[in-house]
Short mmCIF file of all heavy atoms in Angstrom, two decimals:
data_model
loop_
_atom_site.label_atom_id
_atom_site.label_comp_id
_atom_site.label_asym_id
_atom_site.label_seq_id
_atom_site.Cartn_x
_atom_site.Cartn_y
_atom_site.Cartn_z
N GLU D 53 -31.69 -5.02 14.38
CA GLU D 53 -32.94 -5.72 14.08
C GLU D 53 -33.93 -4.71 13.46
O GLU D 53 -34.12 -3.63 14.02
CB GLU D 53 -33.54 -6.30 15.34
CG GLU D 53 -32.62 -7.24 16.09
CD GLU D 53 -33.15 -7.63 17.47
OE1 GLU D 53 -34.26 -7.18 17.83
OE2 GLU D 53 -32.45 -8.37 18.18
N ASP D 54 -34.52 -5.10 12.33
CA ASP D 54 -35.50 -4.21 11.70
C ASP D 54 -36.38 -5.02 10.76
O ASP D 54 -35.88 -5.75 9.90
CB ASP D 54 -34.80 -3.08 10.93
CG ASP D 54 -35.79 -2.08 10.36
OD1 ASP D 54 -36.54 -1.47 11.15
OD2 ASP D 54 -35.81 -1.90 9.12
N GLY D 55 -37.67 -4.85 10.91
CA GLY D 55 -38.62 -5.45 9.98
C GLY D 55 -38.53 -6.97 9.88
O GLY D 55 -38.75 -7.54 8.82
N GLY D 56 -38.21 -7.63 10.99
CA GLY D 56 -38.11 -9.08 11.00
C GLY D 56 -36.78 -9.62 10.50
O GLY D 56 -36.58 -10.82 10.44
N LEU D 57 -35.86 -8.73 10.11
CA LEU D 57 -34.53 -9.15 9.64
C LEU D 57 -33.48 -8.75 10.68
O LEU D 57 -33.66 -7.81 11.45
CB LEU D 57 -34.18 -8.49 8.31
CG LEU D 57 -35.03 -8.89 7.10
CD1 LEU D 57 -34.60 -8.09 5.89
CD2 LEU D 57 -34.96 -10.38 6.84
N PHE D 58 -32.38 -9.49 10.67
CA PHE D 58 -31.23 -9.19 11.49
C PHE D 58 -30.10 -8.75 10.55
O PHE D 58 -29.72 -9.51 9.66
CB PHE D 58 -30.78 -10.42 12.28
CG PHE D 58 -31.80 -10.88 13.29
CD1 PHE D 58 -32.89 -11.64 12.91
CD2 PHE D 58 -31.67 -10.54 14.63
CE1 PHE D 58 -33.83 -12.07 13.82
CE2 PHE D 58 -32.60 -10.96 15.56
CZ PHE D 58 -33.70 -11.71 15.15
N TYR D 59 -29.60 -7.55 10.72
CA TYR D 59 -28.52 -7.01 9.90
C TYR D 59 -27.22 -7.17 10.68
O TYR D 59 -27.04 -6.49 11.70
CB TYR D 59 -28.79 -5.57 9.54
CG TYR D 59 -30.01 -5.38 8.67
CD1 TYR D 59 -31.28 -5.27 9.23
CD2 TYR D 59 -29.87 -5.34 7.29
CE1 TYR D 59 -32.40 -5.10 8.42
CE2 TYR D 59 -30.99 -5.17 6.48
CZ TYR D 59 -32.25 -5.05 7.06
OH TYR D 59 -33.35 -4.90 6.26
N MET D 60 -26.34 -8.04 10.22
CA MET D 60 -25.10 -8.31 10.93
C MET D 60 -23.95 -7.57 10.22
O MET D 60 -23.60 -7.91 9.10
CB MET D 60 -24.81 -9.80 10.99
CG MET D 60 -23.54 -10.14 11.79
SD MET D 60 -23.24 -11.92 11.95
CE MET D 60 -24.44 -12.34 13.22
N PHE D 61 -23.39 -6.58 10.91
CA PHE D 61 -22.26 -5.81 10.41
C PHE D 61 -21.00 -6.38 11.05
O PHE D 61 -20.86 -6.36 12.26
CB PHE D 61 -22.39 -4.32 10.80
CG PHE D 61 -23.61 -3.66 10.26
CD1 PHE D 61 -24.84 -3.74 10.92
CD2 PHE D 61 -23.54 -2.93 9.08
CE1 PHE D 61 -25.95 -3.12 10.42
CE2 PHE D 61 -24.67 -2.30 8.58
CZ PHE D 61 -25.88 -2.39 9.24
N GLU D 62 -20.12 -6.90 10.23
CA GLU D 62 -18.88 -7.46 10.77
C GLU D 62 -17.73 -7.07 9.87
O GLU D 62 -17.93 -6.80 8.70
CB GLU D 62 -19.00 -8.98 10.93
CG GLU D 62 -19.09 -9.76 9.65
CD GLU D 62 -17.74 -10.00 9.00
OE1 GLU D 62 -16.71 -10.08 9.69
OE2 GLU D 62 -17.72 -10.12 7.78
N ALA D 63 -16.53 -7.05 10.43
CA ALA D 63 -15.39 -6.64 9.64
C ALA D 63 -14.36 -7.73 9.44
O ALA D 63 -13.85 -7.93 8.35
CB ALA D 63 -14.73 -5.42 10.28
N ASP D 64 -14.04 -8.49 10.45
CA ASP D 64 -12.89 -9.39 10.35
C ASP D 64 -13.17 -10.81 10.75
O ASP D 64 -12.24 -11.59 10.96
CB ASP D 64 -11.75 -8.83 11.19
CG ASP D 64 -11.25 -7.51 10.63
OD1 ASP D 64 -11.00 -7.46 9.42
OD2 ASP D 64 -11.11 -6.54 11.39
N ILE D 65 -14.41 -11.21 10.85
CA ILE D 65 -14.73 -12.61 11.11
C ILE D 65 -14.51 -13.39 9.83
O ILE D 65 -13.89 -14.44 9.82
CB ILE D 65 -16.15 -12.77 11.67
CG1 ILE D 65 -16.22 -12.08 13.04
CG2 ILE D 65 -16.53 -14.23 11.77
CD1 ILE D 65 -17.60 -11.84 13.55
N THR D 66 -15.03 -12.88 8.75
CA THR D 66 -14.71 -13.36 7.40
C THR D 66 -14.45 -12.14 6.54
O THR D 66 -15.07 -11.09 6.73
CB THR D 66 -15.85 -14.18 6.78
OG1 THR D 66 -16.99 -13.33 6.63
CG2 THR D 66 -16.20 -15.40 7.62
N TYR D 67 -13.54 -12.26 5.60
CA TYR D 67 -13.27 -11.14 4.71
C TYR D 67 -14.21 -11.14 3.52
O TYR D 67 -14.48 -10.10 2.94
CB TYR D 67 -11.83 -11.17 4.23
CG TYR D 67 -10.82 -10.85 5.32
CD1 TYR D 67 -9.51 -11.24 5.20
CD2 TYR D 67 -11.19 -10.18 6.47
CE1 TYR D 67 -8.58 -10.95 6.19
CE2 TYR D 67 -10.27 -9.89 7.47
CZ TYR D 67 -8.97 -10.27 7.32
OH TYR D 67 -8.07 -9.99 8.30
N VAL D 68 -14.68 -12.30 3.14
CA VAL D 68 -15.62 -12.43 2.01
C VAL D 68 -16.71 -13.43 2.40
O VAL D 68 -16.51 -14.27 3.26
CB VAL D 68 -14.90 -12.89 0.72
CG1 VAL D 68 -13.93 -11.84 0.22
CG2 VAL D 68 -14.17 -14.21 0.93
N ASP D 69 -17.85 -13.34 1.73
CA ASP D 69 -18.97 -14.23 2.02
C ASP D 69 -18.61 -15.70 1.76
O ASP D 69 -19.09 -16.58 2.46
CB ASP D 69 -20.19 -13.87 1.18
CG ASP D 69 -20.87 -12.58 1.68
OD1 ASP D 69 -20.33 -11.91 2.59
OD2 ASP D 69 -21.93 -12.25 1.11
#
Side-chain angles (χ1 to χ4, degrees):
E53 303 171 2
D54 185 58
L57 295 177
F58 295 81
Y59 295 86
M60 184 177 282
F61 299 85
E62 68 81 29
D64 294 311
I65 295 165
T66 62
Y67 291 159
V68 294
D69 287 5

